[in-house]
Every structure is written in structure tokens, then in C-alpha cells.
Amino acid sequence: MYTIVVYDTAAERNPAILRTCRQYLHHVQRSVFEGELSPAQLKRFRAAVEAGIDRSYDSVLVYTFPPGTTAVRQDWGVPQNAPDTIL
Amino acid sequence: MYTIVVYDTAAERNPAILRTCRQYLHHVQRSVFEGELSPAQLKRFRAAVEAGIDRSYDSVLVYTFPPGTTAVRQDWGVPQNAPDTIL
């Protein structure tokens, strides 16, 4: 399923979650990742994320969309990526 | 249409974009907002955002989803919001 992840973690834990996100998803903004994950991959990704964060302090927002969802992503500031249909 | 916005702006411009986002959307994480916008609202929101950022430096990612899109939002860290079907 299509997945968007945005993290807001303490600075000392940023490198670890950045590494974990890069293993599973594409980097689209400083703390934003997106990509297609199977249910099994999502489960492994979640376990890896939860092992690396302080769940009483850090926030990791995860949006999941069913297959076939269509969305448009734009960047109104620095064009890190061209406007694109992604899902 | 359902809209998710994630900004990464220079610190001195954060208060302005925070204010603009709050006028149109719900705050779900430090720099993440979401909500339903009509095409006209999205256009006004975009104009307000672009007036307040440095388009050569700041990044404002905007995802838009067609009506009827279903998504699930979870927070794997601090439960700022309960897991919820949002779209």
C-alpha cells in the first residue's frame, strides 16, 4: 500500500530513523518519506522505527492508502521534485 | 479535496506559515497539517503560503487526494491523535 511517513524526533535520534526510512521508502523532504510497502514490509518497517524512537517523546506520523489511490504531490517552494502523480 | 501539507521553512518564517496553515487546515504534527479544501480554498491557501515563504529556500510539500479517497493515519510515537480513518 502507498505510505507517507513524517517524523518529528529528538535530534539525537534523527540519524537512526533517517537510516530506517531510507531502507524502505523514498526521501521527499527533510523528514518526509513515501513509497509502496507490502503489509509485511510495513510491519518490519514499523518494528524498526519503534526500536529506534522514544515513544514517549517522538512523533512518527504514518499515512497508508489502499491500492489504486491517486494523489498529486506538489512542492510550492523549492522544487525538490516536479509536480507528479504518485499513487 | 483532502489535503496534507508538510512544510520545512527557515525558522524565521515558521510563525507565518504556521498561522496560514491554521487558517485552512488541522494541525496534526509540528509541521504537518491536513484537511478538506475546495479548489477555491486551495487556491487561496496556496497564494497565502507563497506570499509567506522564500521559494528559493523553503519547501512546502502538498498532497491532494480526490474525493472518496480512504486513508489511515497512525502515530507510532507520541499519540497526538488516535489511529483514525481520515479521508
Side-chain angles (χ1 to χ4, degrees):
Chain A
M1 64 200 84
Y2 211 84
T3 306
I4 299 172
V5 174
V6 189
Y7 61 79
D8 179 13
T9 53
E12 66 267 28
R13 288 185 291 278
N14 284 347
I17 191 164
L18 179 68
R19 245 189 336 266
T20 300
C21 287
R22 278 187 174 148
Q23 287 171 12
Y24 289 87
L25 298 163
H26 306 290
H27 203 172
V28 288
Q29 197 197 64
R30 189 162 54 106
S31 60
V32 185
F33 288 78
E34 62 179 46
E36 190 72 37
L37 295 179
S38 70
Q41 286 173 320
L42 184 65
K43 195 172 170 183
R44 287 197 298 275
F45 174 59
R46 181 174 185 157
V49 166
E50 290 184 345
I53 63 173
D54 178 343
R55 295 182 63 185
S56 69
Y57 182 88
D58 300 323
S59 170
V60 182
L61 268 188
V62 182
Y63 293 91
T64 51
F65 302 87
T69 300
T70 57
V72 173
R73 182 188 70 229
Q74 297 180 293
D75 198 318
W76 292 349
V78 176
Q80 299 179 343
N81 292 280
D84 200 6
T85 297
I86 52 160
L87 302 190
Chain B
M1 64 200 84
Y2 210 84
T3 306
I4 299 172
V5 175
V6 189
Y7 63 79
D8 179 13
T9 52
E12 66 267 27
R13 288 184 291 276
N14 284 347
I17 192 165
L18 180 67
R19 246 189 335 268
T20 300
C21 287
R22 278 187 173 145
Q23 287 172 12
Y24 288 87
L25 298 162
H26 307 290
H27 202 173
V28 288
Q29 196 197 64
R30 188 162 53 106
S31 60
V32 185
F33 288 77
E34 61 177 48
E36 190 73 38
L37 295 178
S38 70
Q41 287 172 319
L42 184 65
K43 196 172 169 181
R44 285 198 298 274
F45 173 59
R46 180 173 187 159
V49 166
E50 290 184 344
I53 64 174
D54 177 343
R55 295 182 65 186
S56 69
Y57 182 90
D58 301 324
S59 171
V60 182
L61 268 187
V62 182
Y63 293 92
T64 51
F65 302 89
T69 300
T70 58
V72 173
R73 182 187 69 229
Q74 298 181 294
D75 198 319
W76 292 350
V78 175
Q80 300 179 343
N81 293 280
D84 199 7
T85 297
I86 52 161
L87 300 192

